[in-house]
Amino acid sequence: MATLNKGARELRYAELTRKLNKLQIIAASIITLLTLVATWGRWDDFTVIAATQAALIPFNAVVTMVLLRRWGAERSEILRAIVNVGAAVASGHFTGWPFPIWLWLPYVAVAFDQFSPRISWSTLFALTTFVCAFSLLDGMPWIYALSFTFLAVFFAATSTVKLEIIRDMVLQADEQQERLKEEIRMRKAVEVELRQAQKLEAVGRLASGIAHEINTPVQFVGDSVSFVQSGFIDLLRLIDRYRAVVPLEAAAAIAQAEAELDLEYLRENLPQACDRASEGLRRIATIVRSMKKFAHPDQTQMVPADLNDAIATTLIIARSEYKDIADVETDLGAIPPVMCRVGEINQVILNLLVNAAHAIQDKRQKELGKITVRTRATENHVDIDIQDTGKGIPDAIRDHIYDPFFTTKEIGRGTGQGLAIAHTVVQKHGGALSFESKLDVGTTFSIRLPIAQRAGEEAR
Amino acid sequence: MTRKRILIVDDEVAVLQSLRDLLRRDRHRWELLFAVGAQEALAEMRRGTVDVVVTDMRMPGMDGAELLSKVKEDYPSTVRLVLSGDADRETLEKTSSVAHQILSKPCDPEVLRAAIDGA
């Protein structure tokens, strides 16, 4: 849409320039006509005027068609003014200064200054001085020179001021447009953020509901597995005691039955199966717990949070996004609790992890890539680095990666909101999000968060 | 030695059955009672003294917090434990004044045993 407007603007500008040129040609023709009328009957003078004007027509045509394009407006207009005024002065000198000749002075003053007032002022000054001096030398009355010089200066001054007014208006309009654009951008960002917050809240509620639903069966499955395991061990003990007291002739039959059942195998593997089941349940419980911790619904206040724990939680949540693409290595340093809304920070870490995985996937290499998550504390800040061995961010788009809805991903894989949200969230926490990237080597995103928030920033 | 009487309350029968199986090992020192829901639990308590109540939070009708506050009022000497699937802040806030200890589901059997033992 912006380019269409620009095209329309250019068309309009060309149209107006053509109109201006036409006006000037008409005015010049009228002055010439008036001069010819003034010399009507004095045929020598009439011929001089007619010949001068006839010579000027091809000259002006050349200036308009060739020089204007080659030299630019300022230089060609100066040349045109000098030659035209020179011709007027010459024809005035040879024809006894017919009155309409003086009209060229205000004409030049108006027609000439449309492009650059500064140049027109000095040139106009030189031209006017030249015309006045020449006419006075020719013995013309000084009141003519004075009157028309005044008119020329007045016209030039008026157009200059008008030009200034128009410029100011244009600037104002530009500023307004910039402000409007900024406003739209901000609203868009707020909208995205709001939508994201709502989504997060919905997911949080869902997760917490699901967690409750899953935890109950996990409880009784786990209890039952424990019971089966301990019951089995009790039964084995019982079998051992039977063996000790069983009469010799029965022992052979029992041994055969045991061999058929492969009791030794059961003795070895049943407890292991129970352990496996318990381990699986522990994992389910961990995932459910992470799901609940990740979303943190209803958190509007900043509270101290363990970001290393938040990272561990988010890595569990995001596992399906990266496990077939990259190995994740964590290097979590000793960091103090950070004042934050941890649900939002989780979201930022998740977005960066998903991006890292996508960047590695886009490299289309066979072996697994690597994602490294690092945390470090400085005196007042905690730094979280998420480094990938992906394809890197091209220079051309580095300025746009935080723009809402800017994405290089195909539909369904990205909406262009991940980094925009990450950026806003980190900024709202008084932190900074930055990155370093090298094509085909990888990208490192760094989240820097203040450990303590300034007073008044905890509440949203 | 008299056995401790433990009342376990949950709206899910499977949870009760599996806890019964799990805590069977302790049958010589604990007498286990089970109630499906808060009303049944209160009826059970009217029948005889209970030393420890272990209850779920989210139950239809009367929830765990309400049950425990009634227990606290009528049987102040009974130890009150919560075993809940959503042991989050909300639950903590609701029950911290009426429960002695809050355990989250899924709960490790040993942790549960220790909690009952400590009661």
Side-chain angles (χ1 to χ4, degrees), chain A residues 208-209 211-213 215-224 226-227 230 234 281-282 285 289 292 298-299 303, chain B residues 10 12 14-16 18-19 21-22 24-25 56 58 83-89 104-109 112:
Chain A
S208 139
H212 179 245
E213 290 306 310
N215 280 341
T216 299
V218 167
Q219 173 73 43
F220 66 71
V221 172
D223 289 349
S224 301
S226 291
F227 169 65
S230 65
D234 287 349
L281 285 170
R282 255 193 295 282
R289 213 170 21 245
K292 246 171 94 172
D298 305 326
Q299 193 188 0
V303 290
Chain B
D10 203 300
E12 186 100 36
V15 170
L16 297 177
S18 57
L19 280 172
D21 294 343
L22 186 76
R24 194 177 139 275
R25 265 208 300 179
D56 187 23
R58 281 201 212 176
L83 174 62
S84 172
D86 51 350
D88 49 23
R89 268 225 312 263
S104 63
K105 279 182 193 166
C107 177
D108 189 82
L112 180 60

Side-chain angles (χ1 to χ4, degrees), chain A residues 386-403:
Chain A
I386 294 171
Q387 183 177 12
D388 65 59
T389 57
K391 66 170 187 164
I393 303 168
D395 281 335
I397 64 164
R398 286 188 187 191
D399 290 340
H400 298 292
I401 59 166
Y402 298 132
D403 293 352

Side-chain angles (χ1 to χ4, degrees), chain A residues 150-422:
Chain A
F150 154 72
L151 210 56
V153 170
F154 171 66
F155 281 2
T158 309
S159 342
T160 309
V161 172
K162 280 188 177 165
L163 210 66
E164 287 292 303
I165 291 171
I166 291 166
R167 264 200 196 139
D168 276 8
M169 279 163 69
V170 168
L171 276 180
Q172 230 169 19
D174 278 358
E175 264 169 36
Q176 259 169 3
Q177 201 173 13
E178 275 310 302
R179 268 207 301 276
L180 208 66
K181 264 190 201 156
E182 177 63 20
E183 178 109 332
I184 289 170
R185 204 189 58 75
M186 265 170 57
R187 276 191 192 191
K188 230 185 217 174
V190 168
E191 204 177 297
V192 166
E193 208 185 309
L194 195 70
R195 210 177 310 151
Q196 193 62 22
Q198 283 168 344
K199 215 188 312 180
L200 206 60
E201 199 186 319
V203 170
R205 288 187 186 289
L206 202 65
S208 139
I210 291 174
H212 179 245
E213 290 306 310
I214 294 178
N215 280 341
T216 299
V218 167
Q219 173 73 43
F220 66 71
V221 172
D223 289 349
S224 301
V225 169
S226 291
F227 169 65
V228 167
Q229 189 164 21
S230 65
F232 178 69
I233 289 165
D234 287 349
L235 284 178
L236 285 178
R237 262 194 223 116
L238 185 67
I239 288 172
D240 288 343
R241 276 165 82 176
Y242 282 160
R243 273 184 180 166
V245 296
V246 114
L248 213 59
E249 56 271 28
I254 287 172
Q256 197 191 344
E258 282 182 358
E260 272 170 25
L261 271 171
D262 204 353
L263 185 69
E264 280 317 299
Y265 184 88
L266 294 181
R267 189 191 286 275
E268 206 173 307
N269 288 290
L270 256 176
Q272 278 182 33
C274 290
D275 283 342
R276 236 177 1 255
S278 296
E279 173 55 29
L281 285 170
R282 255 193 295 282
R283 251 156 71 177
I284 292 172
T286 309
I287 293 166
V288 170
R289 213 170 21 245
S290 299
M291 220 161 81
K292 246 171 94 172
K293 264 209 244 167
F294 176 80
H296 263 273
D298 305 326
Q299 193 188 0
T300 53
Q301 301 280 312
M302 293 203 187
V303 290
D306 178 356
L307 291 186
N308 283 344
D309 185 47
I311 289 167
T313 299
T314 308
L315 281 172
I316 292 168
I317 293 290
R319 208 174 104 85
S320 63
E321 294 283 341
Y322 61 73
K323 66 171 185 202
D324 299 330
I325 299 168
D327 288 323
V328 172
E329 204 178 276
T330 51
D331 172 12
L332 305 179
I335 55 171
V338 172
M339 282 298 280
C340 65
R341 285 184 284 272
V342 73
E344 293 182 3
I345 300 298
N346 285 336
Q347 180 76 35
V348 172
I349 296 167
L350 175 68
N351 290 352
L352 294 178
L353 282 173
V354 169
N355 280 356
H358 284 170
I360 291 166
Q361 204 173 27
D362 285 346
K363 235 170 136 186
R364 307 198 184 287
Q365 59 187 11
K366 274 197 209 88
E367 64 274 27
L368 284 180
K370 195 161 128 194
I371 299 173
T372 311
V373 184
R374 212 174 288 113
T375 53
R376 289 287 179 270
T378 62
E379 200 184 328
N380 297 317
H381 291 91
V382 163
D383 290 318
I384 305 169
D385 288 351
I386 294 171
Q387 183 177 12
D388 65 59
T389 57
K391 66 170 187 164
I393 303 168
D395 281 335
I397 64 164
R398 286 188 187 191
D399 290 340
H400 298 292
I401 59 166
Y402 298 132
D403 293 352
F405 301 106
F406 177 84
T407 184
T408 57
K409 299 174 186 175
E410 62 267 34
I411 293 169
R413 194 159 168 242
T415 57
Q417 296 184 33
L419 280 177
I421 285 159

